[in-house]
Amino acid sequence: MKDKIINKIKGSIAIKMSLLLSVVIIASLSIILLFSNVLLPRYYGYSKQKSIKQLYYKLQAITKSDSNIDQSKNTDALNELCDKDGATIIVVNADGSHIYEYGNERMLKERWKEIISRDSISSIVKADVIEQNSNYVLQSVTDVVSNKNHYELYGKLNSDNFFVIRMSVENIRENAHISNRFFIMIALVILIMTLFVMNFVTKRYAKPILELADISKRMSDLDFEAKYNGDSNDEIGTLGNNMNDMSDKLEKTIAKLKNANIKLSEDIEKRDEIDKMKADFISNVSHDLKTPIALINGYAEGLQDGIADNPQDLNYYCDVIKDEANKMNKMVKNLLALNQLEYGSNSLEIERFNVTELISNLLKNMSIEAKKLDVTVEFDDSKKVYVWADEFQIEQVLVNYIQNAFNHVTKGGLIRVLIVTDVDVAKIIVYNQGMNIPKEDIDHIWDKFYKVDKARTRKYGGNGIGLSIVKVIMDRHNKKYGVLNLEDGVEFYIELDTNSKTGEENDSDY
């Protein structure tokens, strides 16, 4: 918990900015204090030296124009300058009579005597010469007893009068120390106030930044619903708007990538399915052709070897060869038809035709086979029913359904064809008495080469392609088809449009 709090503090922009500002303030305060203690006394001393020199130049200028300085009208300006700078002046002639004084006259006379006579009284002061030339001497004087400091400038004027100028120097270090303590207290108050203000300001600016950080985190988790809602026109607002644009572009790009990935997966799945279909096709065709080719080859060799030594055997051998050849021919035709339907580029030719008449003609063609199997065929052709579809392809569907019914009907059983009309739809049903289709096979009968009863299929020459053709044709028409097991048989059905508008909707390329 402690580490978590520490990490949170370390990661807070507001705290970082407040700490940074505190460091800047403290560093600035330290530099100011350093300058105050080191440079301020020097600057103060330089200013006092400059002031005492200005008094000297003023005094020199007055005495140059008026030797009787005590009576000069120009002394008012000199007095004001002395009062301003806290200076005292005495001007004496050669016999020691004073000509002009300002301030403590007695003390300056005594000091003048000390300077002239260099007697023992000077031992109570300590003087350090700062500047010396032919006109004056500037020195720093410290009273050993009182420990007071002052600057002292003395020398001769143009009129051979002597002068002494003294200017008090405060203990600048003590004053600087006092001012520094006051300054530190003020700075601490300002620092505390600044921290509170800075914390408030940084939180205001940190809030949208934290919001942007949260948005970027959600974007990294692919949550593109996160949007920046700020309305500021500064850099943060620009960043937020750019993140919104980036979020939209990322969402679109990822959507495109997902769609491309789905399409790629579908293409791969379709390619695998095609490869499997090719393998199954080759396997099934090879298997279905192997038996008739073997029979044809065997019986042809028998004929070649003269096994059929009488007309009856010869006819039997030839009939078998013809029958197997017809089965192969039928399978090849069905394969070609199925291939054309699956991969052909021809479009449906939707037209209106009488489906009742079409079914009636197909059943007439099967009449010989019905007599042969002793099968009863029922169909009511009294009512004309017109549908919209591709007549040639629907004929293929009905041929497969009816032929399938004859192949599986019970001998002496019933085949019934019905046309049930409803609103805009005609449902054609082909029923035959016989065995039901096993439940495990009923979903696979539409697959190519699938055979429920291989022995029975072989007997009537089936190859498992007919119902696959039905499936492809009805899918192209986008219409329903199917099979139902009834109590005593099986029925197959398809649905077709009787309305021209619904029929025309299916008139499109496959």
Side-chain angles (χ1 to χ4, degrees):
M1 182 68 180
K2 183 178 179 181
D3 294 338
K4 187 176 181 180
I5 294 174
I6 292 173
N7 291 332
K8 187 175 181 181
I9 291 174
K10 287 181 178 180
S12 172
I13 294 176
I15 294 176
K16 284 182 178 179
M17 293 181 69
S18 298
L19 291 175
L20 178 62
L21 181 62
S22 300
V23 171
V24 171
I25 293 176
I26 292 171
S28 301
L29 177 61
S30 301
I31 293 172
I32 292 173
L33 291 176
L34 178 64
F35 286 169
S36 177
N37 287 311
V38 176
L39 299 180
L40 182 59
R42 295 183 181 181
Y43 177 76
Y44 180 77
Y46 170 78
S47 298
K48 285 294 184 180
Q49 293 172 24
K50 185 178 180 182
S51 297
I52 200 169
K53 287 180 182 181
Q54 287 177 346
L55 276 172
Y56 163 71
Y57 293 133
K58 184 70 174 178
L59 179 62
Q60 188 182 47
I62 292 174
T63 56
K64 187 176 182 181
S65 61
D66 189 356
S67 59
N68 190 13
I69 187 174
D70 190 37
Q71 302 298 322
S72 176
K73 60 182 180 181
N74 295 321
T75 56
D76 290 340
L78 186 61
N79 293 341
E80 289 180 4
L81 197 59
C82 289
D83 186 60
K84 176 184 175 183
D85 294 331
T88 57
I89 301 177
I90 185 171
V91 179
V92 296
N93 55 23
D95 60 2
S97 301
H98 73 278
I99 300 174
Y100 170 78
E101 77 279 341
Y102 183 86
N104 192 339
E105 176 187 357
R106 180 179 177 184
M107 182 268 296
L108 287 180
K109 281 184 178 181
E110 294 296 328
R111 182 59 188 149
W112 173 74
K113 290 178 180 180
E114 291 177 8
I115 294 171
I116 297 300
S117 62
R118 303 288 182 180
D119 58 14
S120 59
I121 197 172
S122 63
S123 62
I124 65 173
V125 297
K126 180 182 178 182
D128 295 320
V129 176
I130 298 172
E131 184 180 346
Q132 184 175 2
N133 55 43
S134 58
N135 296 320
Y136 62 82
V137 175
L138 174 62
Q139 60 185 11
S140 174
V141 179
T142 303
D143 191 319
V144 177
V145 178
S146 63
N147 199 31
K148 291 184 177 180
N149 302 318
H150 56 267
Y151 286 123
E152 195 174 70
L153 190 145
Y154 64 88
K156 279 188 176 184
L157 295 172
N158 298 327
S159 58
D160 292 331
N161 295 324
F162 294 93
F163 71 93
V164 178
I165 303 174
R166 174 178 282 188
M167 186 174 290
S168 176
V169 179
E170 297 178 5
N171 191 339
I172 188 61
R173 294 188 182 276
E174 182 179 352
N175 291 337
H177 180 67
I178 295 171
S179 64
N180 287 343
R181 282 190 297 176
F182 178 76
F183 180 74
I184 289 173
M185 289 188 293
I186 296 297
L188 288 175
V189 174
I190 294 174
L191 177 62
I192 294 171
M193 293 176 60
T194 303
L195 288 176
F196 277 107
V197 173
M198 192 64 188
N199 186 54
F200 172 77
V201 173
T202 53
K203 279 185 177 179
R204 180 184 174 187
Y205 282 95
K207 184 178 179 181
I209 294 175
L210 294 174
E211 182 182 351
L212 290 174
D214 180 64
I215 291 173
S216 65
K217 176 65 172 61
R218 292 173 63 182
M219 285 175 60
S220 67
D221 296 331
L222 303 183
D223 179 10
F224 299 110
E225 295 298 322
K227 300 292 183 184
Y228 176 72
N229 299 316
D231 55 358
S232 60
N233 296 322
D234 55 10
E235 290 82 356
I236 294 177
T238 302
L239 178 60
N241 293 330
N242 290 341
M243 288 186 68
N244 289 342
D245 293 340
M246 182 173 66
S247 176
D248 293 337
K249 291 177 181 178
L250 277 175
E251 184 177 10
K252 293 177 181 178
T253 303
I254 291 176
K256 289 180 181 179
L257 287 174
K258 285 184 177 180
N259 292 331
N261 186 52
I262 292 172
K263 190 175 185 305
L264 179 61
S265 299
E266 290 175 350
D267 291 342
I268 293 173
E269 185 178 347
K270 188 174 181 181
R271 186 190 65 185
D272 293 340
E273 184 180 351
I274 291 172
D275 291 340
K276 186 178 181 300
M277 288 172 59
K278 287 179 179 179
D280 292 342
F281 176 80
I282 294 172
S283 176
N284 288 320
V285 170
S286 300
H287 181 271
D288 283 357
L289 288 177
K290 180 174 67 176
T291 301
I293 289 174
L295 287 172
I296 291 172
N297 186 60
Y299 279 90
E301 288 179 353
L303 289 174
Q304 192 177 30
D305 294 339
I307 294 176
D309 55 358
N310 58 69
Q312 290 180 344
D313 291 340
L314 182 62
N315 289 333
Y316 174 74
Y317 274 53
C318 289
D319 288 340
V320 171
I321 291 173
K322 287 173 60 180
D323 185 54
E324 295 301 326
N326 287 332
K327 289 177 182 178
M328 286 193 297
N329 183 54
K330 181 181 177 182
M331 183 178 69
V332 171
K333 286 182 177 180
N334 284 337
L335 284 173
L336 291 173
L338 182 61
N339 184 70
Q340 182 64 27
L341 289 169
E342 288 183 330
Y343 304 108
S345 59
N346 58 312
S347 60
L348 294 174
E349 296 182 6
I350 303 298
E351 57 183 328
R352 184 173 180 269
F353 63 93
N354 185 353
V355 72
T356 304
E357 183 180 358
L358 175 61
I359 296 172
S360 180
N361 291 333
L362 292 176
L363 292 176
K364 287 178 182 179
N365 294 335
M366 302 291 291
S367 61
I368 297 175
E369 189 168 357
K371 291 179 181 179
K372 185 177 179 182
L373 296 173
D374 192 22
V375 171
T376 302
V377 178
E378 294 182 355
F379 176 63
D380 182 7
D381 59 356
S382 61
K383 182 180 178 182
K384 295 181 179 180
V385 177
Y386 288 90
V387 296
W388 290 87
D390 187 311
E391 183 176 4
F392 174 74
Q393 292 188 18
I394 295 302
E395 182 179 0
Q396 286 182 283
V397 171
L398 294 175
V399 166
N400 277 292
Y401 270 6
I402 295 171
Q403 186 63 59
N404 190 69
F406 275 96
N407 292 336
H408 292 86
V409 69
T410 305
K411 190 173 183 178
L414 172 67
I415 293 177
R416 181 172 51 244
V417 181
L418 297 173
I419 301 177
V420 180
T421 57
D422 197 358
V423 179
D424 298 334
V425 174
K427 185 174 183 179
I428 302 170
I429 302 170
V430 179
Y431 162 81
N432 67 271
Q433 283 184 332
M435 296 177 60
N436 287 160
I437 301 172
K439 290 183 179 179
E440 63 271 16
D441 296 320
I442 201 163
D443 291 332
H444 300 287
I445 61 173
W446 311 100
D447 298 341
K448 283 183 287 189
F449 299 107
Y450 191 83
K451 301 170 187 175
V452 176
D453 185 347
K454 292 181 173 59
R456 183 179 178 88
T457 304
R458 170 71 191 160
K459 183 178 179 181
Y460 63 75
N463 44 50
I465 300 175
L467 293 179
S468 299
I469 294 175
V470 172
K471 178 180 184 300
V472 173
I473 291 175
M474 296 311 297
D475 285 342
R476 292 188 71 185
H477 281 76
N478 196 26
K479 292 300 169 187
K480 294 181 179 180
Y481 62 96
V483 59
L484 296 173
N485 279 325
L486 302 182
E487 184 177 351
D488 59 346
V490 178
E491 71 173 25
F492 286 83
Y493 67 89
I494 61 171
E495 291 183 359
L496 298 174
D497 290 317
T498 58
N499 187 295
S500 62
K501 292 184 179 179
T502 56
E504 288 171 356
E505 289 175 358
N506 300 312
D507 187 12
S508 60
D509 292 344
Y510 180 65

